[in-house]
Amino acid sequence: MANEEVKVPSKGSKLPKKRVILYSYIGVLTVVTVLFGFHVLKYFYLDPLSTAGHPVYGHRTENLESISESVIASAEEKGAQQPGVSEVKVTVQGPVVYVKVQVDEGVDVETAREAAEVTATQMLDEVGDKLADYSIQLVVSSGDVNELTDANREQELEHYKQHRLEIVEQIVAHAEEYPTQENIERAKSNINVMPKDYNKETGEYEYRYKEEKEAFEARIEALTPLTAEEEEALGDIPYLEVNQEIEPTEISDFPSWGAYDKNTQLFEWQ
């Protein structure tokens, strides 16, 4: 039998269809991988590098017209001329203008606020529309702001404590007067939701007012729930409505914070 001639593919002959699809897939995958790698590099390295050292306000200050030192000095001078003022400081941080006014001991808060408003108004009159994109914040104080804040905070926490204890006291006393199962369970629930603090040493949350909590629990444990017959004999048992809103305090007038409302063009104080 004659030997068959081995045919060699001629130059330029087409590749098999499956191999073409495979090469195309590899090519697309390579391009996608390169693009993905570039975006990862851009997001995690190039972009942070390009914005390093930029202010935290980002691009919010790009279109702001700067406030000159002369305008700031003029406002500070105007504020310092007001009665009872010991120091005025105006600072600009990004899109926020801070007006800080320190007054002498014994000066009332209304006088201090008026001095801060005069200071800010001086800037508004001089700068005009330039301040439209700025936020104007004011603070008035008599003495050290940080010390006052810390002292006030302690008194505010005490005020909150008394508020919470008063709520539980009302509910426990109501349960003592009408010891229904419902009132007893309500009292227990309010005792259990009293504030807790995290103890770093033990890694657990502990009740903030432990002694008061234990005293409330003892009173509730001493109660014997009314029977159905006893409840019926009492007739309509009133439901206790408890006001849970914290009453405003007059702990201290200082420090006092305010802001300029662009819509109303008025100064709002807290």
Side-chain angles (χ1 to χ4, degrees):
M1 187 174 181
N3 293 332
E4 293 184 356
E5 183 180 355
V6 178
K7 295 183 179 180
V8 179
S10 60
K11 190 175 182 179
S13 61
K14 294 182 179 180
L15 292 172
K17 186 176 181 180
K18 289 184 178 179
R19 187 173 297 179
V20 172
I21 294 175
L22 177 62
Y23 287 164
S24 299
Y25 174 77
I26 293 174
V28 171
L29 184 62
T30 302
V31 172
V32 171
T33 303
V34 171
L35 289 175
F36 177 76
F38 172 75
H39 283 293
V40 170
L41 178 66
K42 182 176 183 295
Y43 182 81
F44 288 103
Y45 181 74
L46 297 178
D47 285 348
L49 185 64
S50 65
T51 58
H54 286 200
V56 294
Y57 302 105
H59 300 292
R60 287 192 293 156
T61 59
E62 284 185 351
N63 299 320
L64 288 176
E65 295 190 48
S66 61
I67 302 172
S68 68
E69 291 297 327
S70 62
V71 170
I72 293 176
S74 177
E76 290 178 340
E77 182 180 358
K78 184 72 174 180
Q81 294 172 355
Q82 304 309 304
V85 173
S86 58
E87 182 184 8
V88 176
K89 184 66 177 177
V90 177
T91 57
V92 180
Q93 295 183 12
V96 184
V97 177
Y98 294 98
V99 178
K100 178 184 176 182
V101 174
Q102 189 86 2
V103 295
D104 300 328
E105 293 289 340
V107 175
D108 61 85
V109 69
E110 294 301 329
T111 301
R113 289 174 176 176
E114 185 177 348
E117 292 180 9
V118 168
T119 305
T121 301
Q122 175 70 19
M123 295 186 66
L124 289 167
D125 292 342
E126 286 198 45
V127 179
D129 294 339
K130 283 186 179 181
L131 281 179
D133 295 325
Y134 284 91
S135 171
I136 303 178
Q137 304 290 326
L138 308 94
V139 59
V140 296
S141 180
S142 175
D144 185 271
V145 175
N146 294 328
E147 290 181 2
L148 281 171
T149 302
D150 292 341
N152 292 353
R153 180 62 176 164
E154 291 179 7
Q155 295 181 59
E156 287 171 358
L157 289 174
E158 179 61 27
H159 178 71
Y160 174 72
K161 173 184 178 180
Q162 296 305 321
H163 167 76
R164 291 291 304 160
L165 294 179
E166 177 60 26
I167 290 176
V168 180
E169 170 61 37
Q170 291 182 53
I171 295 173
V172 170
H174 184 69
E176 289 174 327
E177 184 176 1
Y178 303 100
T180 64
Q181 189 63 46
E182 181 180 354
N183 285 340
I184 291 174
E185 292 301 324
R186 181 186 181 188
K188 288 181 179 179
S189 297
N190 277 270
I191 292 171
N192 290 333
V193 297
M194 291 174 69
K196 294 181 179 181
D197 293 318
Y198 182 72
N199 188 325
K200 294 181 180 179
E201 295 181 359
T202 63
E204 297 179 352
Y205 284 91
E206 299 177 354
Y207 283 98
R208 189 177 303 169
Y209 320 131
K210 186 177 180 180
E211 292 183 4
E212 291 85 351
K213 175 180 179 294
E214 291 175 351
F216 284 134
E217 287 175 332
R219 290 166 61 182
I220 291 300
E221 291 299 324
L223 297 177
T224 301
L226 296 173
T227 63
E229 292 76 13
E230 289 172 331
E231 283 191 38
E232 185 177 355
L234 286 176
D236 292 334
I237 298 176
Y239 179 80
L240 176 66
E241 294 286 351
V242 180
N243 180 14
Q244 298 193 32
E245 293 185 7
I246 300 179
E247 295 295 329
T249 66
E250 296 181 358
I251 293 173
S252 174
D253 291 331
F254 297 104
S256 178
W257 288 270
Y260 179 69
D261 190 319
K262 299 173 186 176
N263 296 323
T264 62
Q265 297 185 347
L266 297 173
F267 294 97
E268 302 291 341
W269 292 90
Q270 297 180 358

